[in-house]
Amino acid sequence: MTPPTVAVVGGGISGLVAAYRLRRSFGAAARIVVLERSARLGGKLRTVPFAGDPVDVGAEAFIARRPEVEELVAELGLADQLVYPSGARPLLFAGARLHPLPTGTLMGIPASAQAVEGLVDDDTLARITAEPTLPLRWDRGTDMSVADLVRSRFGEQVVRRSVDPLLGGVYSGLSDTAGVRAAVPTLAAALDAGATSLSDAVARALPAPSDAPVFGTLREGYGVLLEALVRAADAEFLYGTAASGLRRTGGKWSVDPIGEVDGVVLAVPAPDAARLLADSVRPAAQWVAQIPLASSVVVALAFPHDTGLPQNSGILVATGEDLSAKAFTLSSRKWPHLAERPVALVRASFGRFGDDALVDAPETQLVELARTDLATVTGFDAQPVAAFVQRWHGGLPQYREHHGEIVAAFEAEIAGIDGLEVAGAMLHGVGVPACVATGTAAAARLVDRMAG
């Protein structure tokens, strides 16, 4: 057989994993070409030198209770890079003061009033307590926004003070733009299974108590994983090269500007996928065009090591507070390996879906907002010794109502097309493990089709 030529469009984590898996399956003779429109690989993963050491300014952790990242890291010989949080607890800034982040909640949705006592007012606590006595209208298979569901049962304060901060940290959005089925699938499953109230559904969906760490990261940042994938994929990497066209030509695909290939993996954001598929697979393009993106900014700050930061892992900010930042990660408190460095590291996050006015603000303004907002929530006011601003335009897809139905329809259209697969955060989860899973699955399907 003539060795195949495969194009991977998009050099983020999903595309790099796909290229690596294709190399493993097709062997050294295959030609694998990765097109990346920017000047670097990694997508929303980026590690930069900062205050003398590598620091992640995109995603900074992965869900450790999913196996994909740990298995991939071990496979690439990087298991010694795995590190886990210190155990410091996060805080929540709501009502102009700090609170412990509620426990006994599912993405901020409480199973009982006790979980949010002190965070919301007495009327809201009474409403949560009475909620199990009220009839619940939920049609199996239906969907709605998380905000609509929680507001109707528990009230607005729970939405803005407890749920929004958690969802905003995951999706750079609000509960208004997050569908129950996509954003909190275990809750939807409990409701489908006959939960008698929202409190009952949350109690059923809460994960079993575990001492295992929830998150993990890499000691030297995600950059070491990206570099290992690049080496192992042994592909042709075309930087600053966007795919400008995708057409079916007989039994092959033509990808502009590289020409004919035997197979294609699209690992790009939803608008780019819609554009590339518009001519050859229009129904798929119409489905994926319905997935919007949110933009955000990360501001990394370094302070003198003996700083007076709280002994907490981070601070989430409730909706409606008089702050610009939506969250802070107290990185040197959260990660033991960062606590060993000669500076104290903090990450401030800005920008939500529909409210990204600050994304293109001047760097000096963003750094000052990060510093002053940090002083407001912690009382710690000092000038950073270093700062780095990372803008993420269109960084995260929004999992709105009926997102699962949109993805299912999109994938059904792609499933009937030989030599074409799709991966990425727009499909089945925005976290790094989910992206690794989609890259692996896309490569496996393409190999099976091309072998058949």
Side-chain angles (χ1 to χ4, degrees):
M1 291 180 59
T2 303
T5 297
V6 180
V8 177
V9 183
I13 183 64
S14 304
L16 291 178
V17 169
Y20 164 61
R21 298 296 183 199
L22 291 168
R23 175 63 68 201
R24 290 285 301 269
S25 296
F26 285 135
R31 183 187 179 209
I32 299 170
V33 184
V34 178
L35 291 82
E36 171 50 49
R37 66 180 179 181
S38 73
R40 65 172 190 86
L41 299 170
K44 304 310 177 289
L45 304 184
R46 188 181 185 192
T47 307
V48 299
F50 181 65
D53 290 289
V55 169
D56 284 317
V57 291
E60 56 117 22
F62 60 85
I63 297 292
R65 291 174 183 174
R66 288 192 60 155
E68 292 89 350
V69 172
E70 290 186 343
E71 290 177 355
L72 177 64
V73 165
E75 188 177 324
L76 292 167
L78 300 172
D80 61 342
Q81 285 283 331
L82 291 169
V83 289
Y84 301 96
S86 64
R89 295 290 301 165
L91 298 171
L92 177 58
F93 188 78
R97 64 189 183 91
L98 289 171
H99 308 260
L101 189 72
T103 57
T105 75
L106 185 68
M107 199 61 78
I109 309 171
S112 68
Q114 183 180 4
V116 289
E117 191 170 354
L119 180 61
V120 298
D121 61 27
D122 290 343
D123 288 345
T124 300
L125 292 175
R127 184 170 179 175
I128 298 169
T129 300
E131 189 266 341
T133 68
L134 303 176
L136 174 67
R137 297 183 59 185
W138 176 269
D139 296 326
R140 181 181 176 86
T142 194
D143 200 8
M144 63 176 66
S145 75
V146 175
D148 284 346
L149 175 62
V150 177
R151 183 187 298 113
S152 69
R153 306 297 293 184
F154 294 156
E156 188 74 8
Q157 278 197 353
V158 175
V159 173
R160 300 309 171 201
R161 293 189 174 190
S162 186
V163 182
D164 273 355
L166 271 296
L167 282 174
V170 176
Y171 295 101
S172 287
L174 294 173
S175 53
D176 305 81
T177 57
V180 173
R181 292 197 173 278
V184 203
T186 55
L187 179 64
L191 291 165
D192 287 345
T196 57
S197 66
L198 181 55
S199 302
D200 179 37
V202 173
R204 295 189 191 194
L206 282 172
S210 172
D211 293 331
V214 177
F215 300 107
T217 193
L218 302 182
R219 181 177 299 277
E220 295 176 53
Y222 274 119
V224 295
L225 174 59
L226 300 176
E227 291 168 3
L229 285 169
V230 168
R231 289 193 302 270
D234 191 24
E236 299 174 36
F237 292 97
L238 304 183
Y239 297 88
T241 306
S244 55
L246 177 66
R247 299 177 305 281
R248 187 71 165 155
T249 57
K252 294 181 179 290
W253 288 90
S254 178
V255 181
D256 296 333
I258 65 172
E260 281 195 352
V261 298
D262 299 297
V264 179
V265 175
L266 292 183
V268 292
D272 294 329
R275 174 179 56 81
L276 289 169
L277 295 170
D279 292 333
S280 53
V281 198
R282 181 169 292 274
Q286 292 171 333
W287 282 113
V288 78
Q290 298 180 46
I291 303 174
L293 305 179
S295 298
S296 61
V297 180
V298 171
V299 178
L301 302 173
F303 295 99
H305 188 269
D306 57 351
T307 180
L309 289 170
Q311 297 295 325
N312 297 90
S313 60
I315 303 165
L316 301 179
V317 178
T319 304
E321 299 299 313
D322 190 22
L323 297 172
S324 297
K326 65 182 181 184
F328 296 92
T329 302
L330 307 182
S331 305
S332 295
R333 306 294 194 232
K334 181 175 181 178
W335 302 106
H337 68 290
L338 297 182
E340 300 170 358
R341 297 188 179 181
V343 293
L345 300 172
V346 176
R347 285 166 43 117
S349 300
F350 299 86
R352 290 187 174 98
F353 178 66
D355 183 21
D356 55 3
L358 283 173
V359 172
D360 291 312
E363 289 193 5
T364 53
Q365 178 184 353
L366 289 165
V367 171
E368 183 61 16
L369 284 172
R371 186 191 69 79
T372 57
D373 282 359
L374 181 65
T376 298
V377 299
T378 66
F380 168 75
D381 191 3
Q383 288 294 332
V385 297
F388 187 94
V389 175
Q390 176 65 55
R391 308 176 200 271
W392 294 114
H393 293 96
L396 283 174
Q398 297 301 287
Y399 281 30
R400 299 188 297 181
E401 295 172 53
H402 307 291
H403 177 81
E405 297 169 32
I406 291 169
V407 170
F410 168 70
E411 291 183 323
E413 296 291 346
I414 297 295
I417 312 252
D418 284 338
L420 176 66
E421 295 294 341
V422 180
M426 66 183 176
L427 299 175
H428 302 293
V430 300
V432 179
C435 291
V436 171
T438 64
T440 296
R445 290 192 301 267
L446 187 61
V447 170
D448 287 345
R449 286 189 180 191
M450 291 174 64

